[in-house]
């Protein structure tokens, strides 16, 4: 079975044709439980998310701030496994038809086996992977198997990336480019800032692939601001915090659905 890179591409193209940015939500698998995490993904999609990144919980996350680290810890202590991540992708995709990617650090894939991981992700209906710590120059094996299985390879660029480096990264990636709005880890910020817009402009000079901005977006006003210059707005910590702050799972699901609705309105006010 082939993965859903084409669904990802058409979803981003449809948002562009509607003169808006896509809303991309991030939630870790296995949080607060495997079943609860699946329901959370469905809830953000019901609220208005166009695309979802399912996080593969990791014990040493280099990109993730304290909110997502807390959720990852809960998932890991709950015994989450790669099979649970694949189940999350499968059930969310089958229930909604929305493109679902996995965001993961390289070590779990390397230990699991690249061919096994890509084949299972494609079979689950996944659209691709975001790989924040895989250097492009070491990605040939991954890209070979991802392409064979119809999966997008999304790399992360940062404000520190030089123009020549941006060109190298964008030439190797597919689906979209994940532009980190600032130097640092995930988490809500008071402002996203001009740094992100400059990075998007420099990245666009190297590629026609959509450029989506993450790190720091937490409310509709920030989503609208970023949607003014990016093809997609990525929100993670704000959703995870809404789940963490809720008194119970039902309240958490209602909170993330509501937040997704507010953010979806935001990306339409670019």
């Amino acid at each position: 079975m082939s993965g859903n890179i084409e669904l990802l591409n058409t979803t981003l193209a449809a948002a562009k044709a509607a003169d808006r940015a896509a809303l991309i939500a991030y939630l870790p698998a296995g949080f607060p439980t495997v079943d609860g995490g699946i329901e959370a993904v469905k809830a953000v999609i019901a609220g208005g998310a166009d695309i979802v990144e399912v996080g593969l919980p990791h014990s040493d996350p280099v990109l993730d701030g304290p909110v997502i680290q807390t959720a990852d810890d809960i998932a890991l202590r709950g015994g989450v496994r790669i099979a649970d991540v694949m189940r999350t992708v499968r059930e969310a995709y089958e229930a909604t038809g929305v493109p679902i990617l996995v965001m993961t650090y390289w070590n779990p894939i390397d230990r699991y086996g690249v061919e096994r991981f890509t084949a299972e992700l494609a079979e689950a209906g996944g659209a691709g992977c975001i790989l924040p710590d895989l250097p492009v120059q070491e990605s040939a094996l991954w890209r070979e198997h991802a392409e064979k299985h119809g999966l997008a390879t999304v790399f992360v660029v940062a404000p520190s990336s030089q123009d020549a480096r941006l060109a190298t990264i964008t030439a190797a990636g597919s689906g979209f480019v994940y532009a980190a709005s600032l130097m640092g880890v995930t988490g809500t910020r008071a402002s996203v800032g001009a740094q992100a817009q400059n990075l998007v402009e420099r990245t666009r000079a190297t590629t026609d692939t959509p450029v989506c901005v993450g790190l720091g977006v937490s409310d509709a006003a920030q989503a609208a601001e970023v949607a003014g210059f990016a093809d997609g707005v990525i929100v993670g910590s704000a959703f995870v915090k809404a789940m963490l702050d809720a008194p119970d799972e039902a309240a958490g699901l209602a909170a993330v659905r509501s937040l997704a609705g507010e953010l979806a309105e935001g990306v339409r006010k670019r």
Side-chain angles (χ1 to χ4, degrees):
M1 179 176 173
S2 181
N4 272 313
I5 186 173
E6 285 307 315
L7 175 62
L8 176 65
N9 292 340
T10 56
T11 299
L12 288 163
K16 184 176 183 180
D19 192 32
R20 69 174 179 86
L23 174 60
I24 304 174
Y26 166 94
L27 286 164
F31 168 73
T33 61
V34 175
D35 288 343
I38 292 167
E39 292 307 311
V41 173
K42 292 179 187 176
V44 295
I45 293 168
D50 299 291
I51 298 162
V52 175
E53 303 173 6
V54 171
L56 195 161
H58 191 55
S59 57
D60 187 26
V62 295
L63 187 70
D64 296 309
V67 170
I68 291 175
Q69 285 186 32
T70 298
D72 277 5
D73 185 56
I74 290 168
L76 290 166
R77 283 191 282 111
V80 71
R81 296 288 182 266
I82 287 178
D84 300 312
V85 178
M86 298 298 180
R87 181 185 154 213
T88 301
V89 172
R90 177 182 291 104
E91 293 193 15
Y93 169 66
E94 289 178 350
T96 66
V98 161
I100 313 287
L101 299 100
V102 169
M103 186 164 187
T104 178
Y105 298 98
W106 180 245
N107 181 258
I109 295 178
D110 192 38
R111 292 184 63 185
Y112 198 72
V114 175
E115 168 60 20
R116 181 184 177 194
F117 191 94
T118 51
E120 290 184 8
L121 182 56
E123 192 275 329
C129 259
I130 299 132
L131 301 159
D133 67 340
L134 177 63
V136 172
Q137 63 270 25
E138 297 175 20
S139 68
L141 178 66
W142 164 266
R143 288 186 285 125
E144 174 192 338
H145 287 288
E147 188 172 342
K148 180 173 78 171
H149 289 291
L151 299 169
T153 297
V154 179
F155 289 114
V156 178
V157 298
S160 61
S161 303
Q162 299 298 312
D163 291 349
R165 179 69 176 161
L166 287 175
T168 300
I169 293 171
T170 59
S174 56
F176 63 90
V177 182
Y178 187 124
S181 66
L182 40 77
M183 300 302 294
V185 296
T186 58
T188 60
R189 301 291 196 282
S191 64
V192 179
Q195 214 174 21
Q197 184 166 359
N198 176 259
L199 176 59
V200 169
E201 290 169 358
R202 291 195 299 118
T203 304
R204 281 213 180 113
T206 72
T207 184
D208 293 327
T209 304
V211 183
C212 304
V213 170
L215 272 69
V217 178
S218 60
D219 60 34
Q222 289 175 331
E225 177 191 355
V226 174
F229 57 81
D231 298 295
V233 180
I234 303 168
V235 181
S237 294
F239 284 119
V240 176
K241 188 173 187 301
M243 292 286 289
L244 285 168
D245 289 348
D248 54 51
E249 190 175 302
L253 296 176
V256 295
R257 179 171 180 161
S258 175
L259 177 59
E262 294 169 17
L263 293 164
E265 283 188 26
V267 299
R268 286 164 172 78
K269 293 177 180 174
R270 56 191 304 176

